[in-house]
């Protein structure tokens, strides 16, 4: 193999490493952009708790962020194994931060999903239970006695 070929290979490898880093950075940027907006999970126009929970549940979708994170991790892993990155600590830290954000969003979504099914059942239980229900029954009984 000639000296010129080795030099060309090194230059090509450097270009490929730069492109790989750019791919990782682009995927990370797209993943961050795909996460829900903070205002979307904070503000609501709902009239009741169930409406709030349904809106929040919809807002807590990571969307394409997971797929973009997967792409970033794929190219990052490839670049690390090829020893293509001079310094990859910043990419690794950003991947970890993004993974943590997606995990938090997913966990919150699961909790909201549970509340979405629990709150209506709790409302029904509270409507059917307690002194208010007994008072209604007594009032109905008193009305029946008065009619006789």
């Amino acid at each position: 193999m000639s000296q010129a070929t080795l030099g060309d290979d090194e230059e090509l490898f450097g270009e490929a490493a730069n492109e790989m880093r750019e791919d990782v950075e682009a995927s990370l940027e797209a993943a961050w952009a795909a996460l829900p907006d903070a205002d979307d999970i904070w503000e609501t126009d709902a009239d009741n708790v169930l409406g709030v929970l349904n809106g929040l549940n919809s807002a807590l979708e990571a969307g394409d962020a997971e797929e973009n994170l997967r792409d970033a991790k794929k190219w990052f892993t490839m670049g690390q194994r090829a020893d293509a990155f001079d310094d990859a600590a910043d990419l690794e830290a950003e991947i970890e931060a993004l993974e943590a954000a997606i995990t938090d969003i997913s966990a919150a979504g699961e909790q909201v999903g549970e509340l979405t099914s629990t709150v209506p059942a709790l409302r029904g239980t509270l409507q059917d239970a307690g002194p208010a229900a007994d008072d209604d029954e007594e009032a109905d009984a008193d009305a029946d006695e008065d009619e006789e």
Side-chain angles (χ1 to χ4, degrees):
M1 196 177 261
S2 73
Q3 190 70 357
T5 303
L6 287 176
D8 290 343
D9 288 347
E10 196 63 34
E11 184 178 323
L12 290 174
F13 184 80
E15 284 179 33
N18 287 336
E19 288 175 12
M20 198 173 299
R21 183 178 184 87
E22 289 170 4
D23 286 345
V24 172
E25 290 171 345
S27 293
L28 289 171
E29 185 177 327
W32 285 114
L35 291 178
D37 187 70
D39 288 342
D40 291 342
I41 64 166
W42 190 253
E43 296 174 2
T44 186
D45 293 329
D47 294 331
N48 58 45
V49 172
L50 187 57
V52 170
L53 291 172
N54 284 330
L56 182 57
N57 202 21
S58 294
L60 289 172
E61 293 293 324
D64 293 333
E66 291 173 328
E67 187 62 33
N68 287 313
L69 174 62
R70 181 173 164 65
D71 285 344
K73 288 174 71 172
K74 176 176 57 177
W75 292 114
F76 178 77
T77 302
M78 180 80 88
Q80 271 194 319
R81 289 189 181 165
D83 199 25
F85 303 132
D86 291 333
D87 181 19
D90 61 328
L91 295 176
E92 190 169 11
E94 189 171 353
I95 287 170
E96 289 172 3
L98 184 57
E99 280 181 314
I102 290 172
T103 298
D104 289 348
I105 290 167
S106 178
E110 288 174 17
Q111 292 171 350
V112 170
E114 290 174 18
L115 281 173
T116 301
S117 62
T118 302
V119 168
L122 178 59
R123 180 178 185 231
T125 299
L126 293 172
Q127 286 174 329
D128 296 340
D134 293 340
D135 291 344
D136 291 340
E137 290 173 14
E138 289 175 18
D140 290 341
D142 289 342
D144 290 341
E145 288 175 13
D146 291 341
E147 288 178 8
E148 292 177 5

